[in-house]
């Protein structure tokens, strides 16, 4: 059930916005995604080329992204190629401290080239991530949190342009409920990006293929699946960067208090309470 407790705090109202389950799974996901990202880059370094289709090799011309290095004037020069577009990335990607590797040591776990260890750590946190998502989903469906707070409604779509404009101007409304842009963003992450990361990850696993042999084909082939996994990883990194920027802009202490203790300080005039009061009259 939804916690309805509230208490005054200065000029605003503290409301119990995040349940214990939401807070725990949020931090479990944060830890898991950190290790999944850095071990995933370690795994990618073993073959830093992405393709579309079911197969790859010398007989195919289906690569869409490559991070590598080639000799230039007696030294190794790094490059990033997306389709036919290529840019020099020496010192950032392709070559790091004189070593040929797609992503530098600072961005991989382990820091040295160690595919086997990277895969073990990656799969360990992947299973924890999946378990946390399953627990959160069951809890959210039973409590009504999913339908009430995350599924965008017709009124949310109508209010979305104004909400986007407010965010662009860094004008934030601290309300009991999520705003339209928050709902859409969280819904996309929780019900599109997370499931697709899991599905594409399972599709690349030989063990999962033995149980669900059609999964790679449903996603466009094994190589397309690997590319999709990488693309959704980039999408989650972009979401994380924007998420942190919005927390800093909206008031980091209030946002952190919400996800640590559950209590969130609303504006002095909580519009959701006003609307509920008007409906009851």
């Amino acid at each position: 059930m939804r916690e309805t407790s509230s208490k005054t705090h200065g000029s605003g109202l503290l409301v119990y916005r995040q349940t214990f389950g939401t807070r725990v799974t949020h931090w479990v996901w944060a830890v898991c995604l950190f290790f999944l990202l850095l071990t995933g880059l370690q795994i990618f370094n073993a073959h830093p080329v992405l393709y579309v289709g079911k197969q790859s090799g010398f007989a195919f011309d289906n690569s869409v992204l490559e991070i590598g290095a080639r000799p230039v004037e007696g030294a190794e020069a790094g490059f990033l190629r997306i389709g036919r577009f290529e840019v020099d990335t020496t010192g950032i990607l392709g070559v790091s401290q004189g070593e040929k590797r797609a992503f530098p040591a600072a961005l991989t776990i382990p820091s040295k080239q160690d595919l086997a260890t990277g895969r073990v750590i990656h799969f360990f946190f992947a299973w924890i991530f999946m378990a946390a998502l399953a627990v959160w989903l069951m809890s959210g469906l039973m409590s009504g949190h999913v339908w009430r707070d995350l599924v965008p409604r017709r009124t949310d779509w109508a209010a979305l342009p104004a909400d986007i404009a407010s965010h662009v101007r860094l004008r934030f409304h601290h309300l009991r409920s999520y705003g339209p842009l928050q709902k859409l963003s969280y819904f996309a992450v929780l019900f599109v990006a997370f499931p697709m990361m899991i599905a594409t990850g399972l599709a690349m696993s030989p063990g999962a293929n033995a149980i669900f042999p059609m999964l790679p084909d449903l996603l466009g082939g094994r190589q397309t699946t690997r590319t999709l996994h990488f693309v959704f990883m980039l999408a989650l990194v972009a979401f994380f960067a924007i998420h942190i920027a919005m927390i800093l802009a909206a008031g980091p202490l209030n946002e952190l208090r919400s996800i640590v203790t559950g209590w969130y300080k609303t504006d002095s005039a909580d519009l959701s309470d006003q609307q509920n009061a008007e409906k009851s009259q």
Side-chain angles (χ1 to χ4, degrees):
M1 295 178 63
R2 185 186 189 84
E3 174 64 62
T4 58
S5 298
S6 62
K7 52 188 177 182
T8 58
H9 185 274
S11 61
L13 181 72
L14 279 179
V15 297
Y16 194 77
R17 194 185 198 197
Q18 307 290 0
T19 65
F20 177 76
T22 297
R23 302 198 306 274
V24 171
T25 51
H26 173 277
W27 292 112
V28 170
W29 290 333
V31 172
C32 288
L33 288 172
F34 172 80
F35 283 98
L36 287 171
L37 172 62
L38 271 61
T39 55
L41 297 182
Q42 168 73 240
I43 296 170
F44 177 82
N45 276 356
H47 185 67
V49 188
L50 295 176
Y51 310 87
V52 293
K54 297 183 178 181
Q55 301 180 66
S56 64
F58 295 110
F60 299 88
D61 183 23
N62 57 345
S63 64
V64 293
L65 181 146
E66 180 180 3
I67 302 175
R70 63 170 64 95
V72 176
E73 298 180 355
E76 294 291 338
F79 67 88
L80 166 65
R81 180 182 62 80
I82 302 176
R84 296 184 179 181
F85 174 78
E86 186 174 303
V87 60
D88 182 275
T89 58
T90 305
I92 303 175
L93 301 175
V95 178
S96 176
Q97 298 179 345
E99 181 184 12
K100 296 174 65 174
R101 55 185 296 165
F103 289 96
L107 294 180
T108 67
I109 294 178
S111 57
K112 63 180 181 179
Q113 296 278 33
D114 188 346
L115 175 61
T117 301
R119 285 171 60 87
V120 169
I121 299 173
H122 193 81
F123 294 151
F124 174 78
F125 282 99
W127 286 113
I128 295 177
F129 177 84
M130 290 174 59
L133 183 60
V135 170
W136 172 85
L137 182 59
M138 287 188 291
S139 175
L141 290 173
M142 292 175 62
S143 67
H145 169 60
V146 170
W147 310 113
R148 182 182 58 244
D149 300 321
L150 296 174
V151 176
R153 305 176 186 277
R154 184 180 303 175
T155 53
D156 293 316
W157 289 106
L160 183 61
D163 196 32
I164 293 175
S166 295
H167 278 75
V168 170
R169 299 188 187 98
L170 300 182
R171 297 176 180 174
F172 302 101
H173 302 293
H174 303 90
L175 306 177
R176 183 188 298 271
S177 303
Y178 294 140
L181 187 56
Q182 283 180 302
K183 278 188 177 183
L184 186 61
S185 300
Y186 295 154
F187 184 89
V189 168
L190 292 165
F191 294 100
V192 179
F194 280 5
M196 283 300 297
M197 287 294 292
I198 292 171
T200 53
L202 290 174
M204 291 186 289
S205 168
N209 290 169
I211 302 174
F212 306 107
M214 297 301 295
L215 186 56
D217 290 334
L218 291 174
L219 294 170
R222 184 171 299 277
Q223 295 303 326
T224 298
T225 296
R226 184 168 179 259
T227 299
L228 286 173
H229 198 69
F230 190 86
V231 169
F232 279 102
M233 176 274 292
L234 292 179
L236 286 174
V237 170
F239 169 81
F240 173 79
I242 297 173
H243 184 57
I244 295 300
M246 291 296 99
I247 288 174
L248 294 175
L253 293 179
N254 192 31
E255 300 295 333
L256 282 173
R257 174 174 51 206
S258 173
I259 203 61
V260 172
T261 69
W263 291 96
Y264 182 77
K265 183 180 178 182
T266 64
D267 295 333
S268 56
D270 188 332
L271 297 183
S272 63
D273 283 346
Q274 287 184 349
Q275 291 172 351
N276 291 333
E278 292 172 358
K279 290 180 179 179
S280 64
Q281 292 178 354

